[in-house]
């Protein structure tokens, strides 16, 4: 310690000699009283380690005391030449965090791990001799454990060969670094390396902070102590500091360059060694000291008594801050420099003023760039012996419950069932104050390892069948698909609070629910039959022998791991390494032709390690989250017998064991298979949390694989309130009805008794949750009658294996089958609320539960009054109305018809209620499949008349019935009357009586009586859920109820809704067709807004045209590509598209009709257009994937299996593309690599299977690239979604998919978005869009015809469009003023011999591209494009019905001739003129639509801004030339002309206009190139400068 101890001691003999002379100086003889002298000397030495008064010291004295202890400890270590073990014991006497911990645990190992040999030779001797003192500066003020977010920069200056270390922001200041505040002279600084403007990520640098002469900060460095930390037992003995840099320069060789380096020229070079830079916190950055860091954190005084080992998920923050001293990790045996007596006061006073402890030290030469005035200051001195705050224990206040009170507040009042309720966490939650966040907002820490199973690299399912055949035969393979990477902690915590050990069930207001064996088999698909896992306690020797025999690991190594893990455990990473190493050895043995026995040995070891890893990360997940229990390895000894064990029961027992523990007051951690628990919650309570459906899920998979949950809320408060107020429709008691063909209900699910897993046992009581088995729930028997207390483990095994039939729930105990899913016997809810505590909070709980405790009393009272069952009455009304609609008795347009069709159709076209429409689908993405036919929305009127007043009144009268039964669906009896609404009415009535705000509406009451809608009282409402078998007599007349005008009090005043808009300027005046027109871009355009709006049109045509494809001689390639039906897409891509033209047409698109609205009528891109323009299939099955993309895990598997894309590279690509997407460049490289490998394999005559595999991968890469760059072009233009690879798996079936319809739906979807004002980019196949415009509109297509076009090619290949102006102003005016003769309605007549008309083009209904993109295709609206007279079409809702999902749409398309077909009668007569319409069509269009975008201009249009300037240029006077030609033509036409004279006149006019044409072409090119804009900008800039000069 050269800085702290300038005096040097050569050896221990010198120390003894000094001691000897010291005794002589005191006048003592060498031989007299020598023993007492040494005893006194040792006592004085070790007095420094006393800690009696440590808690009474203030921060300054505590820091000096620790400094003194650390110096003395190191002095003694060097003097006595102690070895590592002895030195570790001496260091424990310090017993406080000290600066030496950081120096040895972080600073020195970092140099050893990341420094080159030359750097180690330079820095390690200085560090080992303590001539420099180091710290570890990584954590920043704004970036705790986010290493990739560090802001400190290290910019290389090649001129001076130096790095410039700089802190650009306040948040980039290094913070909390231990040893930095007062002591350290050097630091390992983590900063972003920047060379030549390129950011190369975070790297480490050695930076000197203080001078070795006077210990003052160097220029440009701001360093200081962060001040007092909370609690005396915290890090107050450590000088945690702050640090910032102001362009500090360091030599280039002070960058630790073992992993990467920067040359003298500034070139960044990676080394060949494994990269170990920081990832996460560090990842593998400092493997040399990772274990030391863990030991450092584990040995903190506040953590003593805990199990040794690393804390799961812990970063290095504690170690970096100097959380404690590590044992056995110091550098010993070095020649350190110490002094005899170290004076901490003298050192502190000499180096800095300790009184200014909280303020940073700033170099006097250079001022910092930013101020740190808000740094923490020392608080006043704390009183002695301040006690550390203890964690909150959630106990109820003693005064909350009277001694005379029976039971607990909120229940139970009868403790015969929940005998251990006094220890349950529900008690403090019930009694907690509403603002007590320490109880109500506490977070449950859920320990899960499912993500490790997701991320582990798995063998290929195609090539490594030896592996997957065994894994699938074990019955555990589904566990690879049932894990969630994200858990909803708040949701899990809300359910854990309601778990009760006595009943092994969750207690909610609706009754009990539990995780049964049936849930396990449906959610996980693992065995629930067979022998229970019966392992017992195992010795270390037995476990080591088992690991050695079954996994091939050396016995001594295993024993070392057991000692390190303090038990029979192996780390997850170790088991994963065993699996991967044996897998590689097996492949190597096969390649080298080793014996079959050796190959099988490696394969069995690999499979055993994988299965052990799988079960310990899923069903046996423990609170450590980082090790596996070796005891489970015995069940994989015989791989053929793995399925014989009852893994489902083991998973349930293990989960219930942790639930029993987590529901207690003092526990805040939860383990077990968390994905199973969350999957069970989502299955039974789908509306309670955020989740999406996996797009590749099928019913053959485990039900857990269906869900992709979101993060949700970490606090359980909101979920707790939702469960307290849950209604019967919010719970699905039996969610597996559609899964029974995969997993039927078996006898084991009815077993009632004990389940077992090793020494753990749990109750399985299905009689308590009969509704989950679709039986009426009765009052169950006591749990002890089913699960006998004290039953031995052997007896539990015998009962399940031999007496299963006797222990099953008998038929008579199961009771009747339910009518409504929530049915229960009378008295059940009364009993349940007496023995349980179903509501957690008294404030948020409803005034009465869904089934009140006095239900039987109310039923008896209702029977005495002969009150009707209103539930049956309303159902009868509903059935009668449905029958009337079905038989045609209800006239269309009546209120009843409107309500019922609304309840069935459930959408308003762009009105916001239709989930089947594009805007809602884009918001809901994967939830489109959940659109039910019972979806509720506003009725759409098909007439042009305004709604009648009596219709609105009738709709109000039916409001109660509509609210209570709109979500009832096709099944009867799945809804209750909403009692909360009625109770709220009663409260409002009482408030109205008090405030005098009552209003009586007698007319409404009379109308209600006339219509037969009866008022009911509260008791009747509570009784409505119970169905009666006998018919009730009619009710007695009731007095009319008063209607109360409610007044919202407080901070939420009633919102005043603006009056509805019934018409718009320029149209439409009738909103029956376009109800969402208010959000259309035409509205602001008509007002003169958004005139400069244009769309950035996405086009990948250049990528396709530049793509180098296989030569024609590769028949294996072209045969498949031609047969796919997609090869023609190569000829239909354009290098340029006209942005302004496409923008002008997109502004006239209306999603409600799926057409363009033009002044001459509606037109659209039909399936016939797609067939003729692109020559791709428009028949077959439409693309039906779920959502818009697949998960990353499924995408990785598909890419590896079908594109030969390694999973590790695929993960990087997905991370780069931020989803399951492949960039076009990567896909092109894959195509080239697979093609090269296929040709090489063919040349080397490798097996035919390998050659065929590479060929198929090449073809798939090409086809995926082709469709991704054409018909499925997205807004990024950078990648293609991997989900489309699903349809390329079997290359022989590619042409069976309807690429034309799905591509058209994809384009429609982007046109929907482009019709909104805020849209800026336009995706889809815009080459198809442009080709359709040029084919149908003479003005835009006649000039761009390719002379090389032949009729065998797609019609789109006929055109060669140029790049037009991006602003659509000219095109808007042209479309507004277009005439009928400018449109070609049927442009493909001459092309029919190549592409004949297909009858599928008359399909009318929905077309789709997956479940998230669904749009209407309505050919009856554009009959002129099919050569028929255009009539007024029917409403779009009639053809494209709402409430359809991807399956019903696919069925409708397949059977389009039966219902979704434009019949001969609907088509009408053939046209005589191409633009023929029925009388009244155009007036109707102008009334219901907005065919013109711009308002009419009466005056002459404004001239071009620079028209005069261009004319003055002398090149061509356009105005004069055109006036002269017009005058000549008019003069010639006034006379009588024959044909010859007319030709002469026309020829002369043509010649005169030649210079005008040439001039306009030059002007267009100049405008497109931007020269005029640059010139104007430059001129404007010059003018500004001139103006400034003149002003000066």
């Amino acid at each position: 310690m050269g800085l702290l101890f300038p005096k040097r001691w050569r050896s221990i003999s010198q120390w003894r000699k000094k001691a000897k002379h010291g005794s002589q100086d005191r006048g003592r003889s060498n031989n007299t009283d020598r023993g007492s002298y040494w005893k006194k000397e040792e006592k004085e030495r070790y007095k420094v380690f006393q800690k009696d008064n440590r808690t009474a010291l203030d921060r300054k004295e505590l820091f000096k005391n620790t400094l003194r202890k650390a110096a003395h400890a190191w002095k003694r270590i060097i003097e006595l030449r102690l070895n590592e073990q002895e030195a570790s014991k001496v260091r424990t006497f310090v017993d406080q965090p000290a600066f030496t911990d950081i120096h040895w645990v972080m600073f020195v190992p970092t140099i050893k791990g990341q420094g080159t040999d030359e750097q180690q030779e330079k820095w390690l001797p200085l560090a080992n001799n303590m001539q420099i003192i180091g710290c570890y500066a990584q954590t920043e003020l704004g970036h705790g454990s986010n290493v990739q977010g560090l802001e400190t920069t290290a910019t290389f200056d090649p001129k001076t060969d130096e790095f410039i270390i700089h802190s650009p922001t306040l948040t980039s200041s290094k913070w909390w670094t231990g040893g930095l505040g007062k002591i350290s002279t050097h630091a390992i600084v983590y900063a972003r390396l920047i060379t030549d403007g390129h950011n190369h990520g975070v790297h480490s640098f050695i930076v000197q902070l203080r001078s070795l002469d006077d210990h003052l900060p160097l220029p440009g460095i701001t360093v200081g102590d962060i001040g007092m930390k909370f609690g005396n037992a915290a890090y107050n003995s450590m000088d945690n500091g702050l640090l910032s840099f102001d362009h500090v320069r360091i030599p280039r060789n002070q960058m630790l360059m073992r992993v990467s380096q920067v040359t003298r020229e500034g070139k960044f070079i990676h080394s060949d060694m494994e990269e170990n830079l920081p990832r996460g916190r560090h990842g593998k950055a400092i493997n040399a000291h990772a274990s030391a860091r863990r030991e450092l954190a584990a040995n903190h005084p506040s953590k003593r008594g805990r199990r040794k080992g690393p804390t799961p998920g812990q970063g290095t923050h504690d170690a970096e801050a100097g959380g404690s001293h590590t044992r056995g990790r110091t550098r010993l045996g070095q020649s350190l420099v110490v002094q005899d007596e170290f004076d901490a006061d003298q050192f502190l006073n000499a180096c800095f003023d300790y009184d200014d402890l909280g303020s940073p030290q700033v170099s006097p030469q250079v001022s910092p760039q930013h101020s740190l005035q808000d740094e923490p200051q020392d608080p006043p001195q704390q009183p002695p012996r301040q006690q550390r705050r203890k964690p909150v224990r959630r106990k109820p206040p003693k005064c909350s419950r009277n001694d005379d009170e029976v039971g607990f507040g909120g229940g139970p009042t009868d403790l015969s069932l929940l005998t251990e309720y006094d220890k349950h966490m529900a008690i403090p939650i019930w009694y907690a104050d509403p603002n007590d966040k320490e109880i109500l907002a506490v977070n449950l820490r859920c320990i899960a390892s499912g993500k490790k199973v997701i991320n582990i690299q798995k063998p290929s399912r195609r090539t490594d069948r030896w592996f997957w055949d065994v894994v699938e035969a074990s019955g555990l393979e589904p566990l690879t698909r049932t894990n969630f990477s994200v858990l909803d902690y708040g949701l899990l915590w809300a359910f854990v609070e309601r778990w009760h050990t006595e009943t092994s069930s969750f207690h909610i207001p609706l009754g009990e629910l539990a995780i049964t064996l049936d849930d396990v088999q449906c959610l996980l698909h693992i065995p629930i039959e067979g022998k229970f896992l019966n392992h017992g306690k195992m010795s270390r020797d037995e476990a080591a022998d088992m690991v050695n025999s079954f996994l091939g690991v050396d016995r001594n190594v295993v024993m070392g791991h057991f000692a390190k893990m303090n038990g029979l455990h192996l780390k997850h990473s170790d088991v994963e390494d065993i699996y991967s190493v044996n897998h590689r050895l097996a492949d190597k043995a096969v390649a080298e032709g080793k014996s079959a026995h050796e190959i099988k040995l490696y394969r069995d070891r690999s499979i055993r390690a994988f299965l052990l890893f799988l079960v310990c990360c899923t069903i046996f997940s423990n609170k450590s989250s980082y090790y596996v229990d070796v005891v489970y390895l015995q069940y994989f000894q015989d791989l053929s017998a793995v399925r014989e064990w009852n893994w489902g029961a083991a998973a349930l027992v293990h989960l219930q064991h942790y639930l029993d523990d987590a529901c207690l007051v003092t526990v805040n951690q939860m383990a077990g298979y968390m994905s199973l628990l969350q999957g069970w919650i989502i299955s039974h309570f789908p509306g309670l949390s955020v989740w999406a459906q996996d797009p590749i899920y099928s019913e053959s998979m485990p039900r857990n694989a269906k869900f992709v949950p979101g993060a949700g809320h970490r606090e359980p408060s909101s979920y707790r309130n939702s469960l307290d107020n849950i209604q019967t429709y919010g719970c699905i008691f039996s969610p597996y009805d559609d899964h029974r063909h995969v997993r039927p209900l078996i006898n084991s699910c009815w077993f009632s008794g004990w389940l077992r897993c090793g020494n753990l046992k749990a109750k399985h009581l299905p009689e308590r949750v009969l509704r989950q088995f679709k039986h009426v729930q009765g009052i169950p028997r006591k749990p002890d009658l089913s699960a006998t207390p004290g039953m031995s483990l052997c007896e539990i095994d015998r009962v399940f294996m031999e007496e299963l039939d006797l222990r099953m729930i008998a038929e008579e105990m199961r009771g009747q089958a339910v009518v409504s899913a929530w049915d229960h016997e009378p008295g059940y809810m009364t009993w349940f609320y007496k023995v349980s505590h179903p509501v957690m909070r008294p404030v948020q709980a409803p005034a009465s539960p869904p089934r009140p405790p006095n239900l039987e009393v109310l039923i008896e009272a209702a029977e005495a009054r002969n009150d009707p069952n209103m539930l049956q009455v309303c159902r009868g009304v509903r059935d009668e109305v449905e029958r009337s609609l079905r038989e045609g008795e209800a006239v269309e347009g009546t209120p009843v018809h409107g309500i019922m069709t609304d309840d069935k159709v459930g959408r308003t076209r762009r009105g916001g209620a239709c989930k089947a429409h594009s805007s809602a689908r884009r918001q809901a993405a994967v939830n489109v499949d959940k659109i039910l036919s019972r979806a509720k929305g506003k009725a759409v009127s098909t007439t042009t008349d305004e709604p009648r007043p009596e219709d609105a009144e009738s709709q109000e009268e039916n409001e109660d019935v509509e609210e209570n039964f709109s979500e009832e669906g096709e099944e009867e009896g799945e809804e209750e009357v909403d009692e909360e609404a009625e109770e709220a009415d009663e409260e409002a009535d009482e408030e109205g009586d008090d405030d005098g705000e009552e209003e009586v509406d007698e007319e409404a009451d009379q109308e209600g009586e006339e219509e037969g809608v009866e008022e009911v009282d509260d008791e009747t409402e509570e009784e409505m859920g119970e169905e009666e078998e006998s018919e009730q007599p009619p009710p007695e007349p009731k007095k009319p109820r008063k209607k109360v005008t409610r007044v919202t009090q407080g901070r939420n005043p009633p919102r005043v809704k603006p009056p509805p808009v019934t018409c718009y300027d320029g149209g439409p005046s009738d909103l029956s067709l376009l109800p969402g027109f208010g959000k259309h871009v035409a509205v602001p355009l008509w007002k003169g807004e958004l005139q400069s709006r244009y769309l950035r049109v996405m086009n990948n045509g250049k990528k396709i045209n530049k793509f180098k494809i296989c030569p024609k001689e590769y028949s294996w390639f072209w045969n498949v590509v031609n047969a796919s039906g997609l090869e023609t897409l190569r000829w239909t891509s354009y290098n340029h598209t006209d942005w302004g033209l496409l923008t002008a047409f997109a502004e006239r698109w209306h999603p409600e009709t799926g057409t363009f609205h033009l002044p001459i009528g509606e037109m659209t891109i039909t399936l016939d257009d797609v067939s003729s323009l692109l020559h791709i299939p428009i028949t077959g099955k439409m693309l039906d994937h779920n959502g818009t993309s697949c998960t990353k895990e499924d995408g990785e598997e598909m890419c590896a299996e079908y594109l030969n894309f390694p999973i590790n590279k695929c993960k990087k690509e997905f991370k780069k593309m931020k989803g399951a997407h492949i960039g076009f460049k990567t896909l092109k490289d894959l195509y080239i690599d697979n093609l090269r490998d296929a040709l090489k394999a063919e040349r080397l005559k490798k097996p035919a299977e390998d050659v065929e595999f590479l060929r198929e991968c090449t073809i798939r890469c090409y086809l995926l690239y082709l469709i991704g760059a054409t018909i499925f072009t997205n807004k990024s233009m950078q990648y293609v979604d991997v989900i489309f690879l699903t349809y390329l798996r079997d290359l022989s079936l590619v042409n069976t998919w309807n690429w034309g319809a799905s591509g058209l739906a994809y384009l429609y979807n982007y046109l929907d978005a482009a019709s909104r004002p805020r849209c800026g980019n336009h995706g889809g196949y815009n080459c198809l869009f442009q080709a359709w415009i040029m084919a149908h509109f003479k003005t835009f297509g006649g000039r761009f015809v390719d002379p090389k076009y032949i009729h065998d090619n797609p019609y789109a290949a006929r055109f060669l469009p140029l790049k037009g102006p991006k602003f659509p102003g000219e095109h808007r005016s042209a479309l507004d003023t277009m005439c009928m003769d400018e449109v070609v309605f049927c442009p493909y007549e001459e092309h029919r011999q190549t592409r004949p008309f297909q009858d599928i083009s008359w399909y009318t209904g929905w077309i789709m591209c997956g479940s998230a993109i669904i749009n209407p295709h309505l050919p009856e609206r554009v009959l002129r494009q099919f050569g028929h007279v255009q009539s007024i079409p029917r409403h779009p809702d009639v053809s494209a019905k709402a409430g359809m999902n991807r399956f019903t749409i696919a069925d409708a398309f397949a059977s389009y001739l039966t219902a979704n077909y434009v019949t001969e009668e609907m088509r009408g007569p053939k046209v005589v003129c191409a633009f023929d319409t029925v009388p009244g069509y155009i007036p109707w269009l102008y009334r219901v639509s907005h065919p013109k975008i711009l308002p009419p201009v009466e005056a002459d249009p404004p001239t071009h801004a620079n028209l005069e300037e261009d004319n003055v240029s002398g090149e061509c006077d356009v105005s004069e030339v055109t006036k002269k030609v017009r005058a000549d033509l008019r003069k010639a036409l006034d006379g009588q002309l024959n044909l010859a004279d007319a030709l002469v006149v026309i020829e002369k006019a043509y010649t005169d206009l030649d210079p005008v044409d040439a001039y306009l072409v030059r002007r267009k090119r100049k405008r497109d190139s931007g020269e005029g804009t640059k010139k104007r900008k430059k001129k404007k800039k010059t003018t500004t400068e001139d103006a400034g000069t003149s002003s000066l």
Side-chain angles (χ1 to χ4, degrees), residues 400-517:
S400 299
R401 177 174 168 231
N402 299 326
D403 295 337
D404 298 336
E405 183 181 350
V406 179
F408 294 85
T413 58
D414 181 356
L415 295 177
S416 60
L417 179 64
L418 305 181
T419 55
E420 300 293 329
Y421 183 74
D422 58 328
K423 302 177 183 177
H424 200 275
M425 66 169 59
I427 300 176
I429 293 175
W430 177 270
Y431 287 107
D433 186 85
N435 298 323
D436 190 353
K437 301 298 182 182
E438 295 181 349
I439 294 179
L440 299 181
V442 67
N443 294 329
L444 174 70
R445 185 183 177 192
C446 298
I447 313 297
S449 301
K451 190 180 293 186
K452 296 180 180 179
V453 179
I454 297 174
N455 295 333
I456 189 174
Q457 188 170 358
K458 306 175 185 66
S460 171
R461 294 180 181 268
R462 186 183 66 86
T463 58
D464 295 332
R465 290 312 306 172
W466 59 268
F467 181 91
W468 289 108
D469 288 342
V470 178
V471 173
E472 290 170 0
S474 69
L476 299 175
E477 186 273 339
L479 292 178
T480 61
R481 307 172 182 268
T482 57
N483 301 284
F484 301 148
S485 58
V486 176
L487 294 176
D488 193 338
Y489 290 169
L491 179 67
L492 298 176
W493 184 235
F495 274 87
V496 170
E497 293 172 351
R498 299 170 186 271
W499 177 264
H500 288 275
T501 306
E502 297 85 347
T503 60
S504 293
S505 61
F506 300 99
H507 290 210
I508 64 173
L510 302 178
E512 295 183 50
L513 279 90
I515 308 175
T516 64
L517 288 175

Side-chain angles (χ1 to χ4, degrees), residues 1314-1369:
S1315 65
R1316 297 306 183 207
R1318 294 187 177 182
C1319 182
N1321 296 340
H1322 181 51
Y1325 194 21
N1326 288 304
C1327 293
L1328 167 63
F1329 191 9
Q1330 175 110 25
W1332 178 83
I1333 295 173
M1334 292 187 293
H1336 284 273
F1337 298 90
K1338 301 175 182 179
T1339 308
F1340 308 116
R1343 294 177 293 168
F1344 308 113
V1345 177
D1346 187 357
K1348 300 179 181 179
Y1349 169 75
I1350 58 177
H1351 289 284
D1352 293 337
N1353 291 338
Y1355 199 80
R1358 180 186 182 194
F1359 306 106
L1360 288 176
L1362 300 178
K1363 183 179 180 182
K1366 64 181 181 181
F1367 295 104

Side-chain angles (χ1 to χ4, degrees), residues 30-316:
N30 294 336
N31 298 324
T32 58
D33 201 16
R34 184 178 180 89
S36 61
Y37 166 73
W38 282 102
K39 184 176 181 181
K40 183 178 180 180
E41 189 78 9
E42 292 292 331
K43 183 176 180 181
E44 291 294 331
R45 285 197 189 101
Y46 289 99
K47 185 178 180 179
V48 71
F49 294 117
Q50 291 182 357
K51 51 184 179 180
D52 298 337
N53 62 340
R54 184 170 62 182
T55 56
L57 298 178
D58 60 10
R59 197 290 170 94
K60 176 180 177 181
E61 293 298 328
L62 186 64
F63 175 74
K64 291 196 299 183
N65 186 40
T66 306
L67 189 63
R68 190 180 296 110
K69 288 181 182 181
H72 189 80
W74 277 103
K75 170 187 171 183
R76 298 297 293 166
I77 291 171
I78 301 307
E79 288 175 344
L80 303 177
R81 295 185 179 273
L82 302 180
N83 58 29
E84 184 173 353
Q85 184 177 3
E86 294 168 341
S88 176
K89 294 180 180 179
V90 174
R91 292 182 66 243
T92 59
F93 292 131
V94 178
D95 199 33
Q96 283 176 319
F99 70 95
T100 52
D101 300 333
I102 302 299
H103 178 84
W104 293 113
V105 178
M106 307 292 283
F107 183 79
V108 173
T110 301
I111 298 176
K112 292 176 64 65
Q114 299 187 30
T116 61
D117 295 338
E118 294 78 9
Q119 290 174 325
Q120 293 183 33
E121 291 176 3
K122 175 182 177 181
W123 295 103
L124 286 181
L126 298 175
N128 291 334
N129 292 328
M130 294 293 280
Q131 293 176 334
I132 62 173
I133 303 174
C135 63
Y136 190 84
Q138 174 183 295
T139 299
E140 294 181 355
L141 186 61
H143 310 278
S145 298
N146 181 15
V147 178
Q148 299 302 328
L150 298 183
E151 297 178 80
T152 304
T153 60
T155 307
F156 180 70
D157 185 1
K159 297 180 181 179
T160 60
D161 195 23
E162 294 176 328
F163 287 102
I164 302 174
I165 311 295
H166 181 58
S167 302
T169 62
L170 178 63
T171 56
S172 64
S173 303
K174 301 297 181 182
W175 185 262
W176 197 260
T177 302
L180 172 63
K182 302 296 178 184
I183 304 299
S184 297
T185 62
H186 290 68
I188 298 291
V189 177
Y190 277 83
R192 292 192 169 277
L193 174 62
I194 300 175
T195 63
D196 195 23
H198 296 287
N199 187 347
H200 301 288
V202 180
H203 292 72
S204 52
F205 303 82
I206 300 178
V207 182
Q208 183 175 351
L209 307 178
R210 294 182 172 93
S211 170
L212 298 181
D213 297 326
D214 54 9
H215 205 67
L216 291 178
L218 296 179
I221 292 177
T222 301
V223 63
D225 191 280
I226 65 173
M228 187 75 173
K229 274 79 70 177
F230 181 80
N232 255 346
Y235 297 114
N236 287 320
S237 60
M238 172 72 73
D239 56 331
N240 301 99
L242 59 93
L243 173 64
S244 68
F245 302 93
D246 185 6
H247 298 88
V248 177
R249 291 179 173 269
I250 63 172
R252 179 174 56 88
N253 58 10
Q254 287 187 211
M255 170 187 172
L256 297 180
M257 297 187 182
R258 185 176 183 182
V259 175
S260 55
Q261 58 181 328
V262 176
T263 64
R264 178 63 181 84
E265 295 76 19
K267 183 179 179 182
F268 178 76
I269 301 175
H270 272 291
S271 68
D272 295 332
M273 66 173 295
E274 181 182 357
E275 193 172 270
N276 57 3
L277 285 179
R279 292 189 297 273
R281 184 63 180 170
H282 288 295
K284 301 180 180 178
I286 313 173
N287 285 335
H289 70 282
S291 59
R293 287 202 320 277
R294 289 193 294 269
E295 188 172 357
L296 177 80
N299 290 333
H300 190 272
S302 63
K303 300 181 181 180
R304 295 244 173 102
R306 299 183 183 181
R307 176 181 50 78
K308 296 181 180 180
T311 304
Q314 180 179 354
T316 62

Side-chain angles (χ1 to χ4, degrees), residues 1160-1196:
I1160 51 92
E1162 295 182 53
M1163 296 184 70
T1164 192
I1165 309 173
T1166 65
L1167 290 175
D1168 182 48
D1169 290 303
V1170 175
S1171 175
S1172 300
L1173 290 170
L1174 304 183
H1175 284 197
I1176 60 176
I1178 60 172
T1179 58
K1181 187 178 180 182
M1182 290 184 288
L1183 276 58
D1184 58 355
H1185 53 272
N1186 197 0
T1188 58
S1189 182
C1190 60
T1191 62
K1192 291 184 179 181
E1193 293 76 15
D1194 297 324
E1196 291 165 5

Side-chain angles (χ1 to χ4, degrees), residues 833-863:
Y833 273 73
K834 181 174 62 177
V835 299
S836 182
H837 189 279
V839 179
M840 300 298 292
R841 291 290 298 153
V843 177
Q844 288 81 7
S848 61
R851 289 292 187 270
N854 59 340
L855 181 63
E856 287 74 12
V857 179
L858 297 177
I859 293 175
E860 293 176 0
E863 291 176 350

